[in-house]
Amino acid sequence: MLSRLFGSQRVPSFLYRVSLIMKPQVVFVLGGPGAGKGTQCSKIVEGYNYTHLSAGDLLRAERAREGSECGQLIANYIKEGKIVPVEITINLLKQAMEETMQKDEKKFRFLIDGFPRNEDNLQGWNTVMDGKADVKFVLFFDCGEEVCIDRCLERGKSSGRTDDNRESLEKRIQTYLQSTRPIIELYETHGKVRTVDASRSVDEVFADVKAILDKEG
Ligand code: ADP
Ligand code: AMP
C-alpha cells in the first residue's frame, strides 16, 4: 500500500506519513529554569488533549538508558547548564512524538517544554520538522531570576537533580538569558508568543494558561 503511494522510493518516516493525515500541533513552552514549565504542563495535560514532552526529561532518560552512546556527554552538559547538541535533542523529541502518535493517532497535540532553547535548536527544528508539524505558539512563563533560583533550590532538596544547586543554576540562568531569550524575542516579532506572569501562585498562573488555551483552541 505504502509503496504504491510512494512508488519505489524509500518509504518515508512514520511522522511524515502520519502528518499527511494529521499534522502534529505543537506549543513550545519556554521560561527560565524553575519558572514552572513542568508544573503547568502537568496541569494542562489533565484538562486538555495535549501530550507533554520535556526536552530535559527526555535527555535525563537518555542519560540513564543503559547502552546509550551519548549518556556521558548529556550528563556533562546538564551539570554545566549547557545546551546539549541539537541532533541528540531533536531525535529524542521526534521519536517521542512518533511513538505517541503511533499508539493513538488522536494524540497529535504536543507541549514541547524546554525547546527550542537556542538558535541551534531552532535551526535543527526547522530542518528536521519543516512541513511535518505546525508550531501554534510559544507559551512563555515569565519569571524573575531570583524567584527561579529559589524555586530550583527548594526543588533540589528532593529532586536528586545534578543541576539544582547554586553553581549549576547560575550557569543555567546565563544560558537562558544569552541563548533562550533571543529565541523568545524572535517568536515575539512574529506575534507568536503568549506570555504569562509565572511569579504568582500555581493556580493564578494556571488561570491565565487556561484562558490562553481556551482562546487558541
Ligand atoms: P521548570 O519545569 O520550569 O524548571 P518546575 O515546574 O519544575 O519548573 O518548577 C520548579 C519548582 O518550583 C518545583 O519545585 C515546583 O513545585 C515549584 N513551582 C512551580 N510553579 C510554582 C509557582 N507558581 N509558585 C511556587 N512554586 C512553584
Ligand atoms: P530542564 O529540565 O528544562 O531544566 O533542562 C535541564 C538541562 O537539560 C538543561 O540545563 C540542558 O543542559 C538540558 N536541556 C534541556 N532542554 C534542552 C534543549 N532543548 N537543548 C539542549 N539541552 C537541553
Side-chain angles (χ1 to χ4, degrees):
M1 160 74 176
L2 277 170
S3 52
R4 234 188 297 143
L5 262 175
F6 296 103
S8 58
Q9 289 167 347
R10 200 168 58 85
V11 176
S13 78
F14 177 78
L15 200 58
Y16 177 73
R17 280 181 270 138
V18 109
S19 71
L20 295 176
I21 309 160
M22 190 50 83
K23 236 188 220 183
Q25 302 290 299
V26 170
V27 173
F28 287 144
V29 181
L30 293 174
K37 303 180 293 295
T39 303
Q40 295 295 326
C41 284
S42 301
K43 291 179 77 69
I44 295 171
V45 166
E46 284 169 19
Y48 297 82
N49 192 16
Y50 273 98
T51 300
H52 174 210
L53 298 179
S54 153
D57 286 351
L58 290 169
L59 287 164
R60 282 185 285 274
E62 181 62 21
R63 177 184 62 183
R65 190 173 63 80
E66 210 172 304
S68 168
E69 283 171 13
C70 41
Q72 190 53 49
L73 182 145
I74 293 173
N76 295 339
Y77 272 79
I78 288 183
K79 185 107 194 298
E80 287 302 309
K82 291 196 300 196
I83 292 170
V84 175
V86 67
E87 308 79 55
I88 298 174
T89 317
I90 208 132
N91 275 329
L92 293 171
L93 282 171
K94 192 161 163 275
Q95 198 181 326
M97 285 167 77
E98 287 184 352
E99 279 171 13
T100 305
M101 292 175 75
Q102 233 155 5
K103 277 189 208 136
D104 182 351
E105 63 187 22
K106 290 192 286 302
K107 292 201 127 326
F108 59 90
R109 290 192 181 84
F110 296 93
L111 298 165
I112 300 194
D113 161 6
F115 186 94
R117 264 183 147 100
N118 65 359
E119 184 65 38
D120 190 37
N121 274 190
L122 184 57
Q123 272 181 20
W125 175 271
N126 289 338
T127 307
V128 177
M129 301 302 290
D130 184 37
K132 300 189 185 82
D134 289 333
V135 178
K136 290 165 54 155
F137 57 91
V138 173
L139 187 55
F140 170 37
F141 291 105
D142 192 9
C143 192
E145 271 172 51
E146 282 311 314
V147 175
C148 283
I149 291 176
D150 286 349
R151 284 184 189 170
C152 288
L153 290 176
E154 193 56 37
R155 181 175 64 187
K157 290 178 185 168
S158 58
S159 68
R161 283 179 55 156
T162 55
D163 58 353
D164 278 345
N165 55 74
R166 195 167 280 280
E167 199 189 336
S168 293
L169 273 163
E170 272 160 19
K171 294 176 185 163
R172 290 164 70 195
I173 294 275
Q174 283 315 310
T175 301
Y176 165 68
L177 294 174
Q178 283 164 13
S179 307
T180 313
R181 282 305 293 243
I183 301 299
I184 298 167
E185 280 154 22
L186 184 72
Y187 275 105
E188 207 131 42
T189 62
H190 294 102
K192 281 211 152 193
V193 179
R194 308 291 174 266
T195 303
V196 178
D197 172 2
S199 63
R200 297 164 302 155
S201 73
V202 171
D203 289 344
E204 283 171 310
V205 175
F206 190 58
D208 282 8
V209 169
K210 269 172 75 173
I212 291 168
L213 292 177
D214 290 342
K215 187 164 169 229
E216 301 282 347

